[in-house]
Amino acid sequence: MNKLKTNSAEKSILDAAKTIFLQKGMDGARMQGIADEAGINKSMLHYYFRSKELLFNAVFMEAFSTLAPQLNEILNSDRSICDKIKGFSHNYITFVIAHPYLPNFILQEINRNKAFVQDLISKKHFPSIKKFKLQVEEKVADGTLRPIKAEHLFINIMALNIFPFVAAPLLKGILGSSDAQYKNLVEQRKTEVAAFIINSIKL
Amino acid sequence: MNKLKTNSAEKSILDAAKTIFLQKGMDGARMQGIADEAGINKSMLHYYFRSKELLFNAVFMEAFSTLAPQLNEILNSDRSICDKIKGFSHNYITFVIAHPYLPNFILQEINRNKAFVQDLISKKHFPSIKKFKLQVEEKVADGTLRPIKAEHLFINIMALNIFPFVAAPLLKGILGSSDAQYKNLVEQRKTEVAAFIINSIKL
DNA sequence: ACATTTGTCAACCATATGGTTAAACCTTTT
DNA sequence: AAAAGGTTTAACCATATGGTTGACAAATGT
């Protein structure tokens, strides 16, 4: 059978599954909904991916794979800490504006199935804080940075960049922002977040 | 019929529903699971709350009501900005350590049903940033604070306090922390977060 | 004491849902 | 062109699920 046809069917299923799973999560998604989204028969889903769980795993892995590498900019590149923070904030926010469902999906599913994280950690290339920690400790020791634990700094960087997306509906409500106004606010954060962090840690 | 008996049945249903819904969300929760948790017949759920959706609404409102008032410490109290940040961070983190499923539940459900936020906003006492915004603008104008938009400052305060809870499993993985180590880290943040923010904004 | 209301439960119902099957339908191979 | 093998579909299936019903028990009012 035609490799192209097979690949394209598999691909269109995965695309549809991504659309549905990212919006509704594992529990809220329906196999029929994914089939409809892909414009194919429900049996095809099982033909190519066996079960809802395996299809979901494929989607989750793909989603996680697009976010995880960005962490290497912070954790494993050789740039200065300030450059890392500026670069990551700008790139991450730009990326997530284009994929707004991603962060929420990852958080939701990682909280739903904690054994899942164990699985991810065991994989190669799972981000680790080791190198970043050495870098921070060095800069704190030589007086370039205020004393701060690398763990806290890392959590803060993640929090300031990711939270505005996962809490968007609530924040819009509290701030009384329209979609356009909030989008504008998020746009500002491409530079605002890094400035905020660097203000806090630079001596 | 005995008011006490009625109240206690209703209460035990709500408690059970809270336990299940907070852990599994609307989509993942099962009415039978809630009945089992409450140790009663499934029909009772419908007798007291009509439908899954109404029971869920009751749980959600109760959950939201416990978190929303804490925002008033930031948004509407008369203390100084620094005191607010210190007070909120300490209180919020203390509170959520005792109710670890709450933040994730709120975020997940608010993202699932965005019309829900509209409903919340229309209610009285929904937190608004108005007063806080005036206070920040005043302090920026008189040179006490570095220039920063109140919106960004507010988002940052929320992000730094809430994110470590909603992303806990992932952060544990990246940081390589045990449950105990991570709990310790979160404990430190009761003061660390406020210090980080104040470092950044104080002149 | 007895009727009325309120609370509780087991059995039941209609539908939704993940998954299977067997036949039809291409493509490629020979 | 016929066999072979992968692909696609409609029809099914078993079970799970939210919700209903009718009988019965427990309070309450009179």
Side-chain angles (χ1 to χ4, degrees):
Chain A
M1 174 46 66
N2 190 337
K3 268 275 179 60
L4 276 181
K5 201 166 180 183
T6 291
N7 284 347
S8 82
E10 199 168 321
K11 180 71 163 43
S12 71
I13 289 174
L14 227 100
D15 284 348
K18 214 172 175 177
T19 302
I20 301 293
F21 276 132
L22 284 233
Q23 283 182 53
K24 311 206 173 187
M26 171 67 160
D27 290 335
R30 298 288 159 248
M31 293 296 266
Q32 188 58 59
I34 294 171
D36 292 348
E37 174 75 26
I40 54 161
N41 190 284
K42 184 163 66 88
S43 299
M44 296 283 279
L45 305 183
H46 292 97
Y47 180 75
Y48 283 101
F49 293 90
R50 291 266 312 246
S51 70
K52 186 184 184 184
E53 197 177 341
L54 289 176
L55 178 53
F56 175 82
N57 285 356
V59 168
F60 184 87
M61 284 309 167
E62 199 180 307
F64 192 80
S65 306
T66 64
L67 280 182
Q70 308 207 33
L71 297 183
N72 287 323
E73 184 164 347
I74 288 285
L75 296 172
N76 293 316
S77 88
D78 286 320
R79 305 162 74 193
S80 77
I81 291 179
C82 283
D83 279 359
K84 284 177 172 188
I85 293 170
K86 284 178 196 160
F88 175 78
S89 298
H90 199 284
N91 293 349
Y92 182 86
I93 292 175
T94 302
F95 178 78
V96 178
I97 285 174
H99 304 83
Y101 287 108
L102 258 185
N104 209 266
F105 171 73
I106 302 283
L107 286 192
Q108 186 178 327
E109 297 305 328
I110 265 180
N111 274 289
R112 190 182 58 89
N113 184 359
K114 296 187 185 174
F116 222 52
V117 187
Q118 297 308 316
D119 205 49
L120 282 172
I121 292 175
S122 67
K123 296 256 193 299
K124 300 271 179 218
H125 304 302
F126 187 80
S128 147
I129 201 180
K130 215 180 338 177
K131 190 172 167 186
F132 178 73
K133 190 171 180 177
L134 289 174
Q135 187 181 21
V136 171
E137 282 166 356
E138 186 189 320
K139 292 300 170 188
V140 167
D142 74 17
T144 315
L145 293 187
R146 286 186 206 267
I148 185 171
K149 276 196 180 179
E151 285 87 349
H152 287 304
L153 180 54
F154 177 72
I155 293 176
N156 293 354
I157 295 168
M158 293 298 111
L160 292 168
N161 279 296
I162 299 175
F163 188 77
F165 292 100
V166 298
L170 192 57
L171 289 171
K172 274 182 205 167
I174 295 173
L175 300 180
S177 304
S178 67
D179 286 358
Q181 287 170 322
Y182 193 77
K183 198 189 156 207
N184 194 39
L185 219 50
V186 168
E187 196 68 36
Q188 290 167 18
R189 291 182 72 85
K190 287 183 185 174
T191 56
E192 173 65 36
V193 165
F196 185 85
I197 298 170
I198 291 168
N199 259 347
S200 181
I201 61 175
K202 199 99 183 227
L203 275 177
Chain B
M1 171 53 64
N2 191 336
K3 268 277 178 57
L4 276 181
K5 201 164 179 184
T6 291
N7 283 346
S8 83
E10 199 169 319
K11 179 72 163 41
S12 71
I13 289 174
L14 246 154
D15 284 348
K18 213 168 169 179
T19 302
I20 301 294
F21 276 133
L22 284 232
Q23 281 182 54
K24 311 206 173 187
M26 171 66 162
D27 291 335
R30 296 291 160 244
M31 293 297 267
Q32 188 60 57
I34 295 171
D36 292 348
E37 174 75 25
I40 54 163
N41 190 283
K42 185 161 66 86
S43 299
M44 298 285 280
L45 306 183
H46 291 98
Y47 181 77
Y48 283 101
F49 293 90
R50 292 268 309 247
S51 69
K52 186 185 185 183
E53 196 176 341
L54 289 176
L55 178 54
F56 175 82
N57 286 355
V59 169
F60 183 88
M61 285 307 166
E62 198 180 306
F64 192 80
S65 305
T66 65
L67 280 183
Q70 307 207 33
L71 296 183
N72 287 322
E73 184 166 346
I74 288 285
L75 296 172
N76 293 317
S77 89
D78 285 322
R79 303 162 74 192
S80 77
I81 292 179
C82 282
D83 280 359
K84 285 177 172 187
I85 293 170
K86 284 178 195 160
F88 175 78
S89 297
H90 199 285
N91 293 348
Y92 182 86
I93 292 175
T94 302
F95 177 77
V96 178
I97 285 174
H99 304 83
Y101 287 108
L102 259 184
N104 209 266
F105 171 73
I106 302 284
L107 286 192
Q108 186 177 328
E109 297 305 329
I110 265 180
N111 274 288
R112 190 182 58 88
N113 184 357
K114 297 188 185 174
F116 223 51
V117 187
Q118 297 309 316
D119 205 49
L120 283 172
I121 293 175
S122 67
K123 297 255 194 299
K124 300 277 178 215
H125 303 303
F126 187 80
S128 147
I129 200 180
K130 215 182 336 180
K131 189 172 168 187
F132 178 72
K133 191 171 180 179
L134 289 174
Q135 187 181 21
V136 171
E137 283 167 355
E138 186 189 321
K139 292 300 171 190
V140 167
D142 74 17
T144 316
L145 293 186
R146 285 187 207 266
I148 185 171
K149 276 196 181 180
E151 285 87 349
H152 286 304
L153 180 54
F154 177 71
I155 293 176
N156 293 353
I157 296 168
M158 294 298 110
L160 292 168
N161 279 295
I162 300 175
F163 188 77
F165 293 100
V166 298
L170 191 57
L171 289 171
K172 274 182 205 167
I174 294 173
L175 301 180
S177 304
S178 67
D179 285 357
Q181 287 170 323
Y182 193 77
K183 198 188 156 205
N184 195 39
L185 218 51
V186 168
E187 196 68 37
Q188 291 166 18
R189 291 182 72 85
K190 286 183 185 174
T191 55
E192 173 66 34
V193 166
F196 185 86
I197 297 170
I198 290 168
N199 259 348
S200 182
I201 61 174
K202 200 99 183 228
L203 273 177

